Amino acid sequence: MGSIAFDSVRTPFGERNRMLGGSAVHFSLAASFFTDVRVVGPVGDDFGDEEYEVLRERGVDTSDVERVAGRRTFFWRGRYEYDLNTAHTEETQLGVFGDFEPKLSPESRAAEALFLANIQPQLQRAVRGQCEARVAGLDSMNLWIETERDALLETIGEVDLLFMNDAEVRMLTEEPNLVRAARKVLAMGPRAVVAKQGEYGAALFSSDRFFSLPAYPLETVRDPTGAGDSFAGGFMGHLVSQGEGAGDDHDELRRAMTYGSVLASFNVEEFGTERVQKLTRDEIEARYEEFRAITSLSEVPTA
Ligand code: AMP
């Protein structure tokens, strides 16, 4: 559950007007390579068959997408400069999200896992309350830390995994040191925190373990929009595909970090959903193997 959107994005490498986007869309497409996905969220009159088709082609179930007559789909306009790690928001139109009250279908209520993609924390909380999922993840952003802090803290207390940019983890906890900041988040409830670090990779903190992975060394990055959601989709998709208990297994969490990084790396190669739409499972596995190669260390010879 999260935003289903039209995005207008400008980067130093090009621009697109009103392309399909949204946190829930990027997450769903990435997770669809690993498990069955249902996407939940509202759209307006301007959301057409072409947009539904992108989700359906990846097998994403859209029966919980609610079409609200007389309203417009969530719209986000953003721009990136040469530092692609920072998105500058130029315009946000909540549209259908202005007064959206989520009502999950029985199928969605019974889902094994839930991802609360970035959207108002009260909405995330309402959905968490309706879903029986044994594992729940959440992503958020600086906007909600600034404007809805209390609601966000309550919602974080009800999830198992928190995905946030490292700057946002620091901002949320008012703690400049990332290790201490992650500890503070773990004390709020989640069992693990993933601090995303843009082109530098991502770090995982749990109560007694730490794992860090660089980003894949890409030569072509066109549009970072949706990288965080694609990361979460690869991460949670893999974890869910490994069955109950995977969330407590550190090796499995390391693999999930790697699949998250793989999906994020493909996502940024082209604009919006363009690259992930034509991605194959073989390409995912090949890049996973490359990650294994670039991150393995041999021992220093002693004699
Ligand atoms: P990210 O993975 O952080 O790059 O997420 C990018 C997606 O977030 C875009 O496709 C936007 O449509 C969506 N987005 C931007 N601002 C918001 C917001 N305030 N609430 C929910 N989704 C948003």
Side-chain angles (χ1 to χ4, degrees):
M1 192 286 300
S3 58
I4 300 172
F6 285 116
D7 289 345
S8 289
V9 175
R10 186 155 46 90
T11 81
F13 313 105
E15 60 186 300
R16 294 286 186 282
N17 228 338
R18 295 186 62 81
M19 63 183 172
L20 175 64
S23 55
V25 168
H26 285 289
F27 175 90
S28 299
L29 294 177
S32 71
F33 288 93
F34 303 89
T35 186
D36 295 335
V37 183
R38 306 177 64 88
V39 60
V40 177
V43 296
D45 294 325
D46 49 352
F47 200 82
D49 289 343
E50 211 182 300
E51 284 77 36
Y52 277 111
E53 210 34 51
V54 172
L55 292 158
R56 290 178 185 151
E57 273 201 9
R58 285 275 347 123
V60 175
D61 189 321
T62 57
S63 36
D64 279 58
V65 173
E66 193 182 320
R67 205 188 174 94
V68 185
R71 302 298 289 268
R72 311 253 311 159
T73 300
F74 180 97
F75 173 75
W76 179 74
R77 181 195 304 282
R79 125 186 103 74
Y80 300 82
E81 295 178 1
Y82 280 99
D83 172 7
L84 293 170
N85 290 322
T86 313
H88 302 279
T89 295
E90 293 184 326
E91 190 179 347
T92 303
Q93 291 173 12
L94 283 182
V96 280
F97 274 103
D99 49 12
F100 175 59
E101 288 179 21
K103 236 198 266 118
L104 264 55
S105 65
E107 292 83 0
S108 286
R109 283 173 186 266
E112 265 177 72
L114 169 68
F115 185 64
L116 301 168
N118 178 30
I119 195 67
Q120 291 105 312
Q122 296 94 326
L123 264 180
Q124 294 179 313
R125 191 147 181 253
V127 170
R128 179 67 186 116
Q130 292 177 34
C131 184
E132 297 152 19
R134 62 178 163 77
V135 47
L138 178 142
D139 185 14
S140 192
M141 71 187 291
N142 48 8
L143 172 70
W144 310 120
I145 301 174
E146 280 162 15
T147 60
E148 306 276 351
R149 190 187 172 78
D150 291 344
L152 177 59
L153 289 174
E154 274 186 62
T155 315
I156 289 173
E158 294 173 14
V159 300
D160 308 286
L161 298 164
L162 182 74
F163 298 84
M164 266 191 188
N165 293 339
D166 59 354
E168 290 162 355
V169 176
R170 293 186 173 101
M171 186 177 169
L172 176 77
T173 55
E174 295 172 333
E175 169 55 65
N177 177 286
L178 186 61
V179 182
R180 286 170 188 262
R183 290 252 163 277
K184 282 194 175 176
V185 173
L186 293 172
M188 295 172 189
R191 283 184 283 157
V193 184
V194 177
K196 296 170 287 176
Q197 299 164 313
E199 66 180 311
Y200 305 110
L204 173 90
F205 300 86
S206 61
S207 62
D208 56 346
R209 296 293 190 96
F210 172 75
F211 180 61
S212 167
L213 205 61
Y216 184 75
L218 282 174
E219 291 193 25
T220 309
V221 176
R222 289 213 171 78
D223 171 22
T225 309
D229 308 304
S230 305
F231 183 101
F235 186 109
M236 287 200 62
H238 170 74
L239 217 52
V240 170
S241 74
Q242 299 307 299
E244 224 166 302
D248 298 315
D249 177 339
H250 194 69
D251 281 341
E252 220 48 90
L253 287 169
R254 291 162 74 112
R255 288 187 198 110
M257 285 283 285
T258 312
Y259 279 114
S261 304
V262 167
L263 268 293
S265 75
F266 280 116
N267 177 273
V268 304
E269 286 181 356
E270 291 179 31
F271 275 80
T273 60
E274 291 166 8
R275 181 66 179 96
V276 176
Q277 271 177 252
K278 52 189 185 209
L279 186 61
T280 65
R281 187 66 204 230
D282 285 349
E283 288 175 311
I284 293 174
E285 294 311 327
R287 196 164 281 183
Y288 183 96
E289 282 308 309
E290 288 187 61
F291 260 102
R292 266 167 44 76
I294 62 175
T295 54
S296 105
L297 278 176
S298 57
E299 277 175 42
V300 178
T302 46

